[in-house]
Amino acid sequence: MYAARHAEAHPAKPAIVMAASGEVITFGEYESTANQVAHLLRDTGMHRGDHLAIFMDNDPHMLICEAGAERSGLYYTCVNSSLSAEEVAYIVNDSEARVVVSSASKVEVLSLLPDLCPGVERWLIVGASGHAASPFEDWQEAVAQYATVPIS
């Protein structure tokens, strides 16, 4: 069943449970945040068929980014989090990703990527806690600006 239906019927029911940390994302949170991601991607100027790359550790935000991309009609590529900057850049450039979402734990590799990936228009970092430096943006701050309703 589509997550939106679960969110309507059982918004407080767990959708994602991270075994290691115990973090729980409910269907209501999952759906509303995925919609915010979809709005952010559209506001970035991305259209059906454009590409998003996700370079992060095992994190529930990865699934939320995927859902936001799907709701926008975008393609996405999940990039192995243990790759070198050159390897990540090859994948990002080959996929023609216009937006890259990563996690703060990948900042050492991520910091090398803007020079290697000139086609990326937006770099978002999950877990930056408001401390992202240009050209990187704090994912939570960027997403929070958008509506939680589905895109039209």
Side-chain angles (χ1 to χ4, degrees):
M1 181 184 279
Y2 185 61
R5 305 295 178 264
H6 281 293
E8 289 172 10
H10 308 286
K13 187 174 181 177
I16 302 169
V17 178
M18 299 301 290
S21 67
E23 181 181 6
V24 175
I25 307 288
T26 67
F27 275 103
E29 293 166 336
Y30 173 82
E31 184 62 22
S32 63
T33 308
N35 288 333
Q36 288 176 301
V37 170
H39 285 288
L40 177 145
L41 295 170
R42 284 277 176 89
D43 192 45
T44 299
M46 297 183 79
H47 302 286
R48 184 172 303 279
D50 284 342
H51 211 102
L52 163 78
I54 304 167
F55 173 58
M56 64 175 54
D57 295 320
N58 187 20
D59 187 290
H61 294 96
M62 179 182 76
L63 299 172
I64 292 169
C65 288
E66 292 170 1
E70 290 169 354
R71 283 157 179 73
S72 306
L74 303 179
Y75 293 107
Y76 60 85
T77 298
C78 296
V79 181
N80 186 313
S81 65
S82 63
L83 296 179
S84 70
E86 292 76 16
E87 293 167 324
V88 173
Y90 176 82
I91 294 168
V92 169
N93 292 332
D94 190 57
S95 69
E96 298 179 357
R98 294 177 53 202
V99 173
V100 173
V101 181
S102 188
S103 50
S105 64
K106 303 278 106 198
V107 73
E108 188 174 314
V109 171
L110 190 63
S111 66
L112 302 173
L113 294 178
D115 290 336
L116 300 173
C117 304
V120 175
E121 300 166 22
R122 199 163 191 181
W123 300 89
L124 299 163
I125 303 178
V126 174
S129 302
H131 295 88
S134 184
F136 305 106
E137 297 175 66
D138 183 298
W139 187 85
Q140 286 87 341
E141 287 180 7
V143 168
Q145 301 173 39
Y146 292 94
T148 59
V149 297
I151 60 172
S152 52

